[in-house]
Amino acid sequence: MEIHKTCTFFGHRNTDCTEYLKQKVKSVVTDLIVEHGVTHFLFGSRSSFVSLCLEVVTEIKTNYPYIRRIAYTCRHETCTLECEKETWLKRYSYANNNFRLQTVDEEILYPHREKTSKSSYIQRNFAMIDASNYCVFYYNDQYKPPKRKLNKRSLSTYQPNSGTKLAYNYAMRKNVVIINVKE
């Protein structure tokens, strides 16, 4: 069985994706391919940074056609409201059975993607980190997501953790090579 070196990407949902950042990511990805032998790139969330990274890897693929873009899917990112669950299940099932994602070479059906809890994407991110040798982050340790209500009827709010922060801390604990392009 052939072993592949793998990289995954994480960043805050709303990152200012400048041309400078794009060139920085392009340089990092090219170095990972040429100098470190990375051939598999994993993508999960819908953050603007991860979208930028997918765009960059897709462009670079013209020079390195052997690299693979792999999507880890997680239904929670498509549907979160219980009242919409049945409608989305039908739509998702149809789309999943009849369409292939165009911008990736492979889709990993994350085993727990059927869960619609908010933590399913966190567990999916951890699985991507477990499968990776390298993690490219856009991580700002000062970033805090907007406060949220405890539930629909609550007057109280709480400060949620950043998904990127959770992924960053997990990657640190797992001793994965971290490249933070924010710095």
Side-chain angles (χ1 to χ4, degrees):
M1 180 170 98
E2 191 175 348
I3 305 282
H4 303 283
K5 288 191 178 176
T6 304
C7 174
T8 191
F9 303 92
F10 298 99
H12 303 296
R13 188 167 300 273
N14 298 311
T15 302
D16 187 17
C17 294
T18 63
E19 187 59 32
Y20 174 78
L21 180 58
K22 183 176 181 178
Q23 293 308 314
K24 193 171 186 179
V25 169
K26 189 178 254 184
S27 175
V28 166
V29 170
T30 302
D31 181 67
L32 287 170
I33 295 167
V34 174
E35 299 298 326
H36 301 283
V38 174
T39 57
H40 288 60
F41 294 91
L42 310 181
F43 301 91
S45 75
R46 297 177 302 166
S47 76
S48 54
F49 177 71
V50 173
S51 296
L52 172 76
C53 293
L54 178 58
E55 179 185 326
V56 166
V57 172
T58 299
E59 288 175 11
I60 288 175
K61 189 170 170 68
T62 59
N63 295 330
Y64 306 98
Y66 56 87
I67 64 173
R68 311 251 323 139
R69 298 161 299 172
I70 302 168
Y72 269 63
T73 57
C74 182
R75 181 177 296 162
H76 169 70
E77 292 177 328
T78 333
C79 171
T80 58
L81 298 177
E82 187 65 34
C83 63
E84 297 177 347
K85 184 176 180 178
E86 190 172 322
T87 302
W88 278 106
L89 284 173
K90 289 177 187 174
R91 290 179 184 169
Y92 191 83
S93 174
Y94 175 79
N96 200 36
N97 293 328
N98 294 295
F99 299 105
R100 186 171 186 281
L101 298 172
Q102 296 296 312
T103 56
V104 296
D105 302 302
E106 182 181 343
E107 179 182 15
I108 300 291
L109 304 176
Y110 174 63
H112 302 294
R113 75 184 189 139
E114 301 304 318
K115 291 181 182 178
T116 56
S117 73
K118 291 182 180 182
S119 69
S120 63
Y121 81 93
I122 295 167
Q123 298 306 316
R124 185 271 327 269
N125 289 350
F126 290 175
M128 290 170 55
I129 292 167
D130 290 341
S132 296
N133 306 97
Y134 299 89
C135 289
V136 175
F137 279 88
Y138 185 95
Y139 172 59
N140 176 353
D141 62 357
Q142 301 301 309
Y143 172 79
K144 292 188 185 327
K147 289 188 175 186
R148 296 183 187 149
K149 286 187 171 189
L150 292 170
N151 59 47
K152 291 180 198 176
R153 294 184 178 103
S154 178
L155 298 176
S156 300
T157 60
Y158 72 99
Q159 180 64 60
N161 287 316
S162 157
T164 301
K165 178 180 180 176
L166 294 170
Y168 188 87
N169 290 340
Y170 185 77
M172 293 277 289
R173 286 193 309 273
K174 298 301 267 185
N175 293 317
V176 174
V177 177
I178 294 173
I179 303 162
N180 188 2
V181 296
K182 168 70 173 100
E183 297 170 348

